[in-house]
Amino acid sequence: MKLFSHLMALLLFLLQAVPGLGLPKDTLRCLGYHGFCFRPKSCPESFAAFGTCSWRHKTCCIDTTSKFHTCQDEGGHCVPQKIKCLKEQVGLCPHREWKCCTEV
């Protein structure tokens, strides 16, 4: 029983020590795009909604005044990696492995 309690303490320590290990998948995705999780369903002024956080209980919002703009805000559209772009551009896509294109 003592061994079990030591293992549980170690597991709890690891969950707190390793960043992102205990966070939900949608929250990690939001943070990966430099987003912020807000409780209300709408984002504050100068922020754009970009998905969910905390198992869809919060809204992922991205600061539109920063250099991290969504692909659609920049006039492009998101496509999977296997599709060739004639012209790529900088912009965030809802699926991290997708890319932003102005012309396909």
Side-chain angles (χ1 to χ4, degrees):
M1 190 68 174
K2 195 171 187 176
L3 177 64
F4 179 73
S5 63
H6 285 293
L7 288 175
M8 290 305 290
L10 179 63
L11 178 64
L12 183 61
F13 171 75
L14 287 175
L15 284 174
Q16 292 175 352
V18 178
L21 193 59
L23 295 176
K25 196 174 192 177
D26 58 351
T27 303
L28 290 173
R29 185 178 144 271
C30 180
L31 296 175
Y33 283 117
H34 305 281
F36 301 93
C37 296
F38 290 98
R39 287 192 186 273
K41 292 291 180 186
S42 60
C43 296
E45 193 174 318
S46 80
F47 282 82
F50 196 70
T52 61
C53 295
S54 301
W55 293 288
R56 298 183 182 196
H57 290 105
K58 296 181 182 179
T59 303
C60 175
C61 301
I62 294 178
D63 185 3
T64 57
T65 61
S66 73
K67 63 179 180 169
F68 303 106
H69 295 284
T70 62
C71 183
Q72 289 79 8
D73 290 343
E74 298 295 324
H77 37 266
C78 297
V79 295
Q81 289 290 338
K82 62 184 175 183
I83 294 177
K84 284 193 164 194
C85 292
L86 294 176
K87 186 176 180 188
E88 282 191 49
Q89 80 179 45
V90 176
L92 299 174
C93 292
H95 301 286
R96 191 171 186 91
E97 53 276 347
W98 286 24
K99 57 188 173 183
C100 184
C101 295
T102 53
E103 298 178 28
V104 181

